[in-house]
């Protein structure tokens, strides 16, 4: 019985050339090419045949209009870029999977301005001689951090590798056991150390390391003292790490430079706004740390990059290392970094123009109107088929920064028994402008903090589109 029904359906499947005769397909052929459309039409029919043979019923899918529509969707999908913008409604400000920091308009403009033509990337305009690509941002980052010299490489992981290679290859690096961290994406300090050819000397215990632990470990083989900011976790309770100033004093007394991998590193003192307990980059520099490195796309809110700042003699050596060339940044990154750093010259500008900082500093009060706007738009889209509310919640900083910090926010929540929220969430990832949400306890959550005001209407349009796709 089943078999004969399947046979009946198979007989109804049109031949590819018949399907291509459908007006929708003919138009597609005009717009694209016969080869492309006929290949995709063949795929559509082939897929259906396999499904029918596997026992699926496909009455409605066999109608000519439905088949042509499916071909049109597949053609469209071919031209949809794989890498594209999404809306972040997760509330995680530095979401590594969503590309970390969104750039300031000024940074985007700088990329556009320099991308379409030639630039003075490695040309000194005042002398007409060859210049260095590092010149464009070195002066600025030194001004903002108080460092003597600086360079910038592909990312902070590259910065760590480079510093360890230049400063400690064939030597040993003293590090506190409590700072041997693994950062997301399996970046392990111990593994990078191995790759750099430096030998690891662990001191102290997981929760406590004293200055005397460092003191005893330093010998003629020691190339560097490494301090790693434990950016993505916190050891709480019975803990101890020596004060930075004491570590610096010890290092200078013993003639061994100290390098601090700050991870995120902020130019703005977020503590002044009640966020976190992280020292700024400038504080590390002023404390006398010889080399400091940090990411460009974490709390700094610029492009993916790794800054290395510090004492002139060490930065000069690092610049000359052969690895530096392999880890160098491109012109687009430099354009974005310079434009973003310029904003930091005026803290008020950084607070309003650098999206990462602006989002971190958004208060519940300042987001209330946005939350209500989104709630009312979504209520309109669902038209009584869902319960849409504004609720108090907490956002996270993300990107391995300020792990224990929670920022009070508003969530617009959707609950319903009329359709599957899991299905809605799925379709929200497949519409033209995907919206990344979170599902918490049978409710779909939209965190207002990470949605730009210009995106509120777009979120509602995407939800409307996704609703239309629910079967
Ligand atoms: C994030 C982080 C890194 C890696 O930085 P990327 O810019 O992502 O390469 C290295 N060290 C610490 C402590 C970090 O937090």
């Amino acid at each position: 019985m089943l078999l004969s029904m399947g046979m009946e359906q198979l007989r109804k499947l049109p031949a590819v050339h018949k399907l291509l005769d459908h007006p929708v397909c003919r138009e597609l052929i005009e717009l694209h090419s016969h080869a492309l459309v006929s290949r995709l039409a063949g795929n559509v029919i082939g897929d259906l045949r396999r499904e029918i043979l596997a026992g699926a019923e496909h009455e409605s899918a066999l109608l000519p209009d439905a088949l042509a529509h499916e071909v049109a969707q597949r053609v469209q999908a071919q031209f949809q870029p794989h890498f594209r913008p999404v809306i972040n409604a997760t509330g995680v400000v530095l979401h590594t999977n969503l590309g970390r920091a969104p750039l300031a308009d000024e940074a985007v403009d700088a990329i556009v301005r320099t991308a379409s033509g030639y630039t003075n990337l490695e040309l000194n305009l005042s002398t007409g001689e060859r210049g260095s690509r590092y010149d464009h941002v070195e002066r600025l980052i030194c001004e903002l951090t108080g460092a003597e010299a600086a360079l910038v490489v592909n990312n902070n992981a590259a910065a760590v590798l480079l510093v360890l290679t230049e400063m400690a290859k064939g030597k040993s690096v003293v590090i506190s056991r409590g700072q041997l961290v693994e950062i997301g994406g399996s970046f392990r300090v111990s593994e990078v150390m191995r790759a750099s050819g430096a030998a690891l000397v662990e001191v102290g215990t997981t929760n406590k390391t004293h200055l005397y632990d460092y003191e005893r470990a330093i010998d003629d083989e020691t190339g560097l003292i490494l301090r790693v900011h434990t950016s993505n976790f916190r050891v709480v309770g019975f803990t101890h790490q020596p004060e930075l100033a004491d570590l610096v004093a010890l290092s200078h007394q013993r003639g061994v430079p100290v390098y601090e991998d700050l991870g995120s590193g902020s130019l703005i003192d977020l503590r002044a706004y009640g966020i976190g307990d992280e020292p700024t980059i400038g504080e590390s520099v002023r404390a006398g740390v010889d080399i400091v490195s940090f990411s460009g796309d974490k709390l700094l809110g610029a492009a993916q990059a790794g800054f290395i700042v510090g004492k002139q003699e060490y930065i000069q050596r690092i610049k000359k290392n052969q690895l530096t060339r392999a880890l160098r940044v491109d012109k687009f990154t430099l354009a974005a970094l310079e434009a973003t750093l310029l904003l930091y010259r005026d803290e008020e500008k950084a607070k309003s123009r650098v999206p990462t900082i602006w989002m971190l500093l958004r208060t519940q009060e300042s987001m209330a109107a946005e939350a209500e706007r989104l709630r009312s738009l979504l209520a309109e889209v669902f038209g009584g088929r869902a319960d849409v509310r504004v609720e108090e919640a907490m956002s996270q900083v993300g990107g391995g920064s300020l792990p224990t910090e929670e920022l009070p926010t508003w969530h617009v929540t959707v609950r319903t028994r009329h359709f599957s929220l899991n299905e809605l969430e799925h379709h929200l990832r497949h519409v033209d402008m995907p919206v990344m949400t979170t599902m918490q306890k049978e409710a779909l959550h939209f965190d207002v903090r990470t949605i730009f005001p210009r995106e509120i209407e777009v979120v509602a349009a995407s939800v409307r589109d996704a609703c239309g796709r629910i079967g």
Side-chain angles (χ1 to χ4, degrees), residues 182-188:
E182 173 173 318
I183 317 291
S186 73
F187 169 86
R188 281 192 181 165

Side-chain angles (χ1 to χ4, degrees), residues 133-166:
R133 67 178 60 216
Y134 302 112
D135 288 349
H136 307 291
V137 293
E138 181 168 3
R139 196 176 33 85
L140 258 176
I141 195 69
C142 287
E143 174 192 315
L144 294 166
T145 59
E148 287 175 12
L151 84 156
V152 55
V153 290
N154 181 66
N155 59 2
N156 190 35
V160 177
L161 176 66
L162 180 57
V163 173
L164 292 178
T165 305
E166 174 55 39

